[in-house]
Amino acid sequence: MTADLSPHSLRTTAPVLDCAARLFAEHGSRGLPMSALTHRIAAETSTDGAALRRAFPTRFDLTYAIVLRATRERVNDQLTTDVPDSPATRRMADLVRRHVASGWRHRDAVALGQELLPTLRAIHPVRHREISGLHRLFRDHVREIVLAGIREGRFEVTDPGRAADKVLETFDSLLHWYDPEAGLSIDDLGDVYVDLVIHHQLGHPR
């Protein structure tokens, strides 16, 4: 039995978007015709194919929905789980571990977003602003934690904005080298990134 959901519901339905992200990762963003993508997603998620076609009439619409949902989920999770009264080192360590874990969980969508954003900027400024606005919100949040650490005397950096940018650039490297089969668990990977960010980039003494 298939789920005949509205187009709006499908745009935010995790199984549909997760399946689509995986298929893009396996075959490339243009490796399958849209008709084949829709057929595979419908079959693998027990979703009505006609509803899928209404929700995502183009490959661009589907890609955008994947990236927007993953970005929104990751940013909202960081903002809602932060504990502002905690020491900045604890806040940053928790943020790094969450970001590593969510980055790996959403790795297909993250990689797709890196490909999509330049295109969005050129052909759909409204959608580009929506996603880039979420990125700015997260960047501002990281900067605020860095500033808190400077005020507390825990972080030794002179430019909190630049420090926040370096932290975010470090996060981006995750997709390019991590191999879970190499023996490093995602929790261990989080510890590696915490050490790199807090002690090496932000100058907190061990």
Side-chain angles (χ1 to χ4, degrees):
M1 182 176 180
T2 60
D4 187 6
L5 302 174
S6 71
H8 175 75
S9 297
L10 283 174
R11 292 188 193 106
T12 56
T13 299
V16 166
L17 298 181
D18 287 343
C19 178
R22 177 178 53 78
L23 291 172
F24 280 131
E26 291 175 357
H27 301 281
S29 61
R30 299 185 178 278
L32 289 176
M34 190 61 188
S35 58
L37 272 171
T38 301
H39 177 77
R40 289 280 300 274
I41 294 167
E44 294 185 26
T45 63
S46 298
T47 302
D48 180 70
L52 276 173
R53 287 189 290 274
R54 291 195 300 272
F56 310 111
T58 69
R59 183 188 309 273
F60 182 77
D61 294 318
L62 180 58
T63 304
Y64 170 71
I66 293 167
V67 174
L68 178 62
R69 174 241 172 181
T71 306
R72 183 180 286 151
E73 180 178 304
R74 298 180 73 203
V75 173
N76 288 344
D77 177 63
Q78 291 285 15
L79 298 182
T80 58
T81 55
D82 180 43
V83 183
D85 293 337
S86 296
T89 48
R90 170 51 55 193
R91 294 173 67 194
M92 184 62 74
D94 290 344
L95 178 144
V96 170
R97 290 191 177 94
R98 286 192 298 267
H99 200 73
V100 167
S102 67
W104 185 247
R105 185 169 63 253
H106 289 292
R107 60 192 178 277
D108 296 336
V110 172
L112 202 57
Q114 292 172 351
E115 179 181 344
L116 175 69
L117 277 176
T119 303
L120 273 182
R121 184 185 293 111
I123 69 173
H124 207 306
V126 173
R127 287 182 171 183
H128 180 267
R129 283 195 297 271
E130 187 167 16
I131 294 177
S132 61
L134 289 167
H135 288 165
R136 283 194 301 274
L137 187 63
F138 182 52
R139 190 259 187 191
D140 290 345
H141 180 63
V142 173
R143 182 179 181 274
E144 188 275 321
I145 297 176
V146 173
L147 274 170
I150 294 171
R151 289 193 299 266
E152 295 167 11
R154 300 175 189 274
F155 297 154
E156 297 181 3
V157 295
T158 57
D159 186 336
R162 186 170 182 178
D165 290 337
K166 286 183 66 177
V167 170
L168 296 176
E169 289 168 8
T170 300
F171 289 155
D172 289 342
S173 69
L174 170 66
L175 296 176
H176 302 299
W177 70 270
Y178 178 58
D179 179 3
E181 303 300 323
L184 188 68
S185 72
I186 199 71
D187 288 339
D188 291 338
L189 182 65
D191 292 339
V192 170
Y193 272 75
V194 167
D195 181 78
L196 178 61
V197 167
I198 289 182
H199 299 300
H200 294 272
Q201 293 184 341
L202 300 178
H204 180 64
R206 294 181 184 279

